[in-house]
Amino acid sequence: QVQLVQSGAEVKKPGASVKVSCKASGYTFTAYDMNWVRQAPGQGLEWVGWVSPKTGNAGYAQKFQGRVTMTRITSISTVYMELTSLRSEDTAVYFCARGGAGSWDDFWGQGTLVSVSS
Amino acid sequence: DIVLTQSPGTLSLAPWDRATLSCRASQSISSSYLAWYQQKPGQPPRLLIYAASNRATGIPDRFSGSGSGRDFTLTINGLDPEDFAVYYCQQYAGSPKTFGQGTKVEIK
């Protein structure tokens, strides 16, 4: 069965960086793009960007351009999202979700809480 | 960016009632590019409907989606106690993908 397992919660100080991982199993890793979506406490869902496990190409929401990088390592079926220059407003649960830029998101990771506080 | 506006913000209903949730887009989108998700506290979203009217694998047939252009609807016929949750619509026609702000279906 399809599973997306994310890395554990992170606590960071403002200005720091965080790198969240998402390990896929149960399907051909390179056959589907992966999205990252975040959810601030008590708020709705916000798309951060996508990465192609096949090519390594990535696309980001304009809001995060210059601060986010999405990568993958195909040998271990894992994608990563790195967010730099963290600020308190980046405190959120970050989800990986299988699905391309022009497709729905059919499977989701369990979420990773990133807390940014001084 | 395509803005999705969901209404109502909160729907107070009893088990076995019918729930009708609305999602309006700021511009016309192909029905092929509209999805609905359910989210319960502490859980990731769960795909219910894709391409406006197609149920995802394992989704009960009490869930149905419809609509075109700018207006889309999610209907839940005969609310089950497990259906009380927050529902989001999403468009994936353009970049960035965007979500509505959510409709909470709560027990009356």
Side-chain angles (χ1 to χ4, degrees), chain A residues 26-49:
Chain A
Y27 70 99
T28 300
F29 178 63
T30 53
Y32 296 84
D33 292 345
M34 197 76 77
N35 291 282
W36 287 91
V37 174
R38 77 177 187 179
Q39 186 170 39
Q43 302 301 308
L45 301 167
E46 180 177 33
W47 182 75
V48 181

Side-chain angles (χ1 to χ4, degrees), chain A residues 35 37 39 43-47 50 60-62 95 98-111, chain B residues 1 32-33 35 37 39 42-47 49-51 88 90 92-101:
Chain A
N35 291 282
V37 174
Q39 186 170 39
Q43 302 301 308
L45 301 167
E46 180 177 33
W47 182 75
W50 66 275
Y60 311 126
Q62 187 167 10
F95 297 101
R98 190 182 82 164
S103 179
W104 56 90
D105 302 313
D106 58 358
F107 289 94
W108 293 64
Q110 83 276 19
Chain B
D1 297 1
S32 299
Y33 298 97
Y37 300 84
Q39 188 179 33
Q43 296 185 17
R46 173 194 182 197
L47 176 67
I49 302 286
Y50 63 92
Y88 294 95
Q90 177 202 47
Y92 43 92
S95 184
K97 283 185 176 183
T98 51
F99 294 88
Q101 81 279 18

Side-chain angles (χ1 to χ4, degrees), chain B residues 2-75:
Chain B
I2 298 175
V3 176
L4 299 179
T5 303
Q6 293 187 239
S7 60
T10 302
L11 207 45
S12 298
L13 296 168
W16 299 112
D17 281 347
R18 170 185 291 178
T20 303
L21 288 67
S22 174
C23 176
R24 170 165 283 190
S26 59
Q27 61 191 76
S28 182
I29 59 176
S30 165
S31 59
S32 299
Y33 298 97
L34 195 286
W36 289 92
Y37 300 84
Q38 176 194 68
Q39 188 179 33
K40 297 179 181 179
Q43 296 185 17
R46 173 194 182 197
L47 176 67
L48 299 175
I49 302 286
Y50 63 92
S53 61
N54 295 274
R55 274 188 302 275
T57 302
I59 301 302
D61 61 8
R62 64 180 179 271
F63 290 92
S64 63
S66 63
S68 63
R70 293 178 58 201
D71 294 303
F72 298 88
T73 301
L74 175 69
T75 302

Side-chain angles (χ1 to χ4, degrees), chain A residues 31-85:
Chain A
Y32 296 84
D33 292 345
M34 197 76 77
N35 291 282
W36 287 91
V37 174
R38 77 177 187 179
Q39 186 170 39
Q43 302 301 308
L45 301 167
E46 180 177 33
W47 182 75
V48 181
W50 66 275
V51 60
S52 166
K54 183 175 183 179
T55 64
N57 291 343
Y60 311 126
Q62 187 167 10
K63 175 178 181 177
F64 302 99
Q65 290 276 0
R67 285 208 302 141
V68 69
T69 305
M70 295 177 185
T71 57
R72 93 293 191 215
I73 299 178
T74 55
S75 62
I76 55 172
S77 300
T78 300
V79 297
Y80 301 88
M81 183 206 66
E82 183 174 25
L83 189 62
T84 62
S85 301

